[in-house]
Amino acid sequence: MICAANVSSSYPGSRRRPTLSTTVTHAFSLSGAGAEYSSAGELVDAGRKERKKRIAGIDQDELLDPKLLADPDSCFCEFQGVEIHHKLYDPGSHSSDNSLYAQDQTQTLSLKLGLPMILLHGFGASLFSWNKVMKRLANLTGSKVLAFDRPAFGLTSRLSTFGAKTSDAKPLNPYSMAFAVLATLYFIDFLAAEKAILVGHSAGSLVAVDAYFEAPERVAALILVAPAILASGAKPKPKVVETKGDRSDLPMPQFEFFKVLFKFIKYVTQAIMQVIKGMTDMLNSLYKKALSSILRSAFGVMLVRMIIDKFGVAAVRMAWYDSKQVSEHIIDGYTKPLRTKGWDKALVEFTAAMLLKGESETKPPLSKRLHEISCPVLIVTGDTDRIVPSWNAERLSRAIPHSKLEIIKNCGHLPHEEKVDEFVRITERFLQKAFGGLEEQSLQANNNFYSLGST
């Protein structure tokens, strides 16, 4: 494992903004030193070219290796050929004057769970989104809390070729869901733990649930924040009411004839539907492969760059209940990965991997397996989530037995960023109830804490 404390970088996290002087200087350099423009129109054209080289306000002429953009507390470890960027907060080793966490002066009582937490970010985000709660959650559990960047996001390395292989000797796509699941389980081992609490936000919730189904014995609890998991609505089964006269109205030979006829029609219909389904699956597969090829082309990369440029920052603001609370620091944190080499191609590969992800032939779809989850589950959502509506979280809570649903008022898609205190309190109540004996221990800790404060 390599931490970035010794990695020097002359590139701060803030975005560089174009100035007239830099535009003019760059314009002159296009045609050689000392060149002169024949008209003001050429200067305007040069300015336009300068702007085209920026995506969401980030220069694309100076893309860097992710490690050069690392924070002082950033760490990197290699898994399946990928350098995964992660951060680890250990309440037993961090001092109170740590620069990243010094801004959080709130004292949180420890439940001494002995269970580490792994935080899984959503689509388009990175471990940056967990910065406000990492220390709080670590102090709450009394255990280590780790967050990592999934491939294609944050500062984890971007790969153009896939060299890692699974047990069946097939290359493992680092941008696939399978890789994200294996990486999550790897970090449980990395923390030297038998089990961990998985906290997933948005699409990260899908990774958490898939990791549970891959190794349920390694997951102590699931906390799903604004989960981007589609839960099918429960439809009541139609009641079939039979009267005693239903069958006696027909003579027995005639009844048996219709019974056989209905069975025959049923079997023929099922056979036809199977053929149609097979054709649909084949056409759907061909469509997905064709679309994947287009995505991986130069046109696809250009399209991704254009979408990020036009809607990237707007999407961050839209995710918050109050967009006025989105500071430049937050925008910088979300756009910082756009300064890494190959970010656009990696995002294309991630999208293609999600597109080609097929359901297992031996396992039912995830939406039909949710009832199998037996570990404690907390679902947290904002009442004004414009990305994943809160009603979907309500459906999900009905689909997962004994799960706890919490809806935070005046909150958007990012409860752990927008409503930090409330999010931590909700998590604390859930953990106290989920793990036996902790409530009494916490009450005793409260009494000790306040008795010390009164002396």
Side-chain angles (χ1 to χ4, degrees), residues 5 76 152 202 299 394 454:
F76 293 85
S202 195
F299 171 77
E394 294 174 4
S454 61

PDB file of all heavy atoms in Angstrom, residues 5 76 152 202 299 394 454:
ATOM      1  N   ALA A   5       1.191  10.768   1.314  1.00  0.00           N
ATOM      2  CA  ALA A   5       1.788  11.814   2.148  1.00  0.00           C
ATOM      3  C   ALA A   5       3.121  12.282   1.586  1.00  0.00           C
ATOM      4  O   ALA A   5       3.514  13.434   1.743  1.00  0.00           O
ATOM      5  CB  ALA A   5       1.964  11.296   3.570  1.00  0.00           C
ATOM      6  N   PHE A  76      -3.009   4.248  -1.887  1.00  0.00           N
ATOM      7  CA  PHE A  76      -3.239   3.445  -3.082  1.00  0.00           C
ATOM      8  C   PHE A  76      -2.793   2.014  -2.809  1.00  0.00           C
ATOM      9  O   PHE A  76      -1.769   1.787  -2.167  1.00  0.00           O
ATOM     10  CB  PHE A  76      -2.450   3.997  -4.281  1.00  0.00           C
ATOM     11  CG  PHE A  76      -2.916   5.345  -4.750  1.00  0.00           C
ATOM     12  CD1 PHE A  76      -2.434   6.502  -4.148  1.00  0.00           C
ATOM     13  CD2 PHE A  76      -3.829   5.458  -5.786  1.00  0.00           C
ATOM     14  CE1 PHE A  76      -2.860   7.759  -4.580  1.00  0.00           C
ATOM     15  CE2 PHE A  76      -4.253   6.697  -6.219  1.00  0.00           C
ATOM     16  CZ  PHE A  76      -3.775   7.854  -5.611  1.00  0.00           C
ATOM     17  N   ALA A 152     -12.965   4.008 -12.911  1.00  0.00           N
ATOM     18  CA  ALA A 152     -13.666   4.997 -13.740  1.00  0.00           C
ATOM     19  C   ALA A 152     -14.036   6.238 -12.945  1.00  0.00           C
ATOM     20  O   ALA A 152     -14.481   7.231 -13.514  1.00  0.00           O
ATOM     21  CB  ALA A 152     -14.909   4.437 -14.425  1.00  0.00           C
ATOM     22  N   SER A 202     -26.585   5.620  -3.520  1.00  0.00           N
ATOM     23  CA  SER A 202     -27.093   5.589  -4.888  1.00  0.00           C
ATOM     24  C   SER A 202     -26.680   4.293  -5.579  1.00  0.00           C
ATOM     25  O   SER A 202     -27.015   3.213  -5.115  1.00  0.00           O
ATOM     26  CB  SER A 202     -26.600   6.826  -5.647  1.00  0.00           C
ATOM     27  OG  SER A 202     -27.318   7.012  -6.835  1.00  0.00           O
ATOM     28  N   PHE A 299     -16.625   8.697 -31.467  1.00  0.00           N
ATOM     29  CA  PHE A 299     -17.886   9.441 -31.322  1.00  0.00           C
ATOM     30  C   PHE A 299     -18.443   9.289 -29.914  1.00  0.00           C
ATOM     31  O   PHE A 299     -18.934  10.256 -29.324  1.00  0.00           O
ATOM     32  CB  PHE A 299     -18.907   8.931 -32.350  1.00  0.00           C
ATOM     33  CG  PHE A 299     -20.295   9.484 -32.133  1.00  0.00           C
ATOM     34  CD1 PHE A 299     -20.599  10.782 -32.517  1.00  0.00           C
ATOM     35  CD2 PHE A 299     -21.281   8.706 -31.543  1.00  0.00           C
ATOM     36  CE1 PHE A 299     -21.873  11.294 -32.312  1.00  0.00           C
ATOM     37  CE2 PHE A 299     -22.552   9.210 -31.335  1.00  0.00           C
ATOM     38  CZ  PHE A 299     -22.852  10.519 -31.721  1.00  0.00           C
ATOM     39  N   GLU A 394     -39.178   3.595  -0.458  1.00  0.00           N
ATOM     40  CA  GLU A 394     -40.295   2.999   0.275  1.00  0.00           C
ATOM     41  C   GLU A 394     -40.619   1.609  -0.270  1.00  0.00           C
ATOM     42  O   GLU A 394     -40.876   0.673   0.491  1.00  0.00           O
ATOM     43  CB  GLU A 394     -41.510   3.918   0.190  1.00  0.00           C
ATOM     44  CG  GLU A 394     -41.302   5.254   0.903  1.00  0.00           C
ATOM     45  CD  GLU A 394     -42.461   6.197   0.683  1.00  0.00           C
ATOM     46  OE1 GLU A 394     -43.460   5.782   0.043  1.00  0.00           O
ATOM     47  OE2 GLU A 394     -42.390   7.359   1.138  1.00  0.00           O
ATOM     48  N   SER A 454     -20.041  17.471  33.701  1.00  0.00           N
ATOM     49  CA  SER A 454     -20.608  18.319  34.765  1.00  0.00           C
ATOM     50  C   SER A 454     -19.621  18.602  35.882  1.00  0.00           C
ATOM     51  O   SER A 454     -19.866  19.420  36.758  1.00  0.00           O
ATOM     52  CB  SER A 454     -21.855  17.625  35.357  1.00  0.00           C
ATOM     53  OG  SER A 454     -21.504  16.385  35.911  1.00  0.00           O
TER      54      SER A 454
END
